[in-house]
Amino acid sequence: MATLTYPNITLAANRHFAPDQFEAELRPNVLMSTSVLTGAIQTVQVPGTRWIFRLTYGVASAAEQAEREAFFAELEGMVNRVALYHTARPTPRGTRQTNTTLSASAAVGATTLAMTATTGQTLLRGDMVGVGGQLFQVVADATAASSVLTVSVRPAVRTPLANGAAVTLVRPTANFMLASAGVSVPYEGPTGGSFLAEFAQVLT
């Protein structure tokens, strides 16, 4: 099993890998039970929350479609993995625009991350953060104070994160696999047609 790196869509040569439509779904792992006597519903969240990304690719030239087709051929359906990022927001909206490190450890279940930053720098709701192979989304605007930027994130930390761990803010990735056995890459005469690929985060 190999792990592919998704093309950097900020480069002009890879623009055909930028989807026309991108969907991000954070899917909690929830157990639900319904009382047969009263109809009352109870839910409990258990570990296993994961990201689902759906990428819809638009019409492309035959050459560009060939490159897309080769990428999915190399994935071999569900066999291999891809280090994938949020293609609609590869860099933060906030002013903290470069990678950094954690300034404190984070235990399993934590929903805040503290990272080194210049006082006054920000991360905004929706910005993506990658640490230790885990992919988080900032859920509340945050501003650094005393050189520490503390952000509320989801999902919760899945495996412990050490003080000083590398924090990726530019195209942070997690490992994903195709959610189907394969992807059909269409052609319409001399051009490549549109198609959808769905990816599910692989948890370890």
Side-chain angles (χ1 to χ4, degrees), residues 12-132:
N14 296 329
R15 289 302 299 170
H16 51 292
F17 281 97
D20 280 12
Q21 180 175 323
F22 177 87
E23 299 177 43
E25 175 190 347
L26 186 58
R27 184 175 294 175
N29 193 17
V30 176
L31 302 179
M32 184 180 75
S33 63
T34 304
S35 170
V36 296
L37 298 177
T38 66
I41 295 175
Q42 291 186 327
T43 59
V44 59
Q45 185 175 0
V46 296
T49 297
R50 73 185 66 220
W51 287 101
I52 306 295
F53 286 171
R54 300 180 189 89
L55 285 70
T56 302
Y57 298 92
V59 173
S61 70
E64 291 170 336
Q65 194 79 328
E67 291 189 15
R68 292 170 171 173
E69 184 181 343
F71 173 81
F72 286 102
E74 192 175 3
L75 269 181
E76 296 188 86
M78 296 179 173
V79 173
N80 293 317
R81 308 293 187 250
V82 57
L84 184 61
Y85 54 91
H86 193 302
T87 61
R89 198 162 46 254
T91 56
R93 297 191 303 124
T95 59
R96 179 71 208 195
Q97 294 280 321
T98 55
N99 299 335
T100 184
T101 57
L102 289 183
S103 60
S105 61
V108 173
T111 54
T112 59
L113 298 176
M115 61 193 73
T116 302
T118 301
T119 297
Q121 287 185 324
T122 62
L123 285 177
L124 303 180
R125 296 184 70 179
D127 288 344
M128 305 299 291
V129 177
V131 191

Side-chain angles (χ1 to χ4, degrees), residues 99-182:
N99 299 335
T100 184
T101 57
L102 289 183
S103 60
S105 61
V108 173
T111 54
T112 59
L113 298 176
M115 61 193 73
T116 302
T118 301
T119 297
Q121 287 185 324
T122 62
L123 285 177
L124 303 180
R125 296 184 70 179
D127 288 344
M128 305 299 291
V129 177
V131 191
Q134 300 174 65
L135 187 61
F136 305 97
Q137 187 170 78
V138 177
V139 294
D141 294 352
T143 302
S146 301
S147 300
V148 175
L149 179 56
T150 302
V151 293
S152 297
V153 296
R154 295 294 186 280
V157 172
R158 189 176 71 253
T159 58
L161 301 172
N163 185 3
V167 176
T168 303
L169 298 176
V170 179
R171 297 187 304 280
T173 65
N175 286 344
F176 286 75
M177 61 183 285
L178 279 175
S180 60

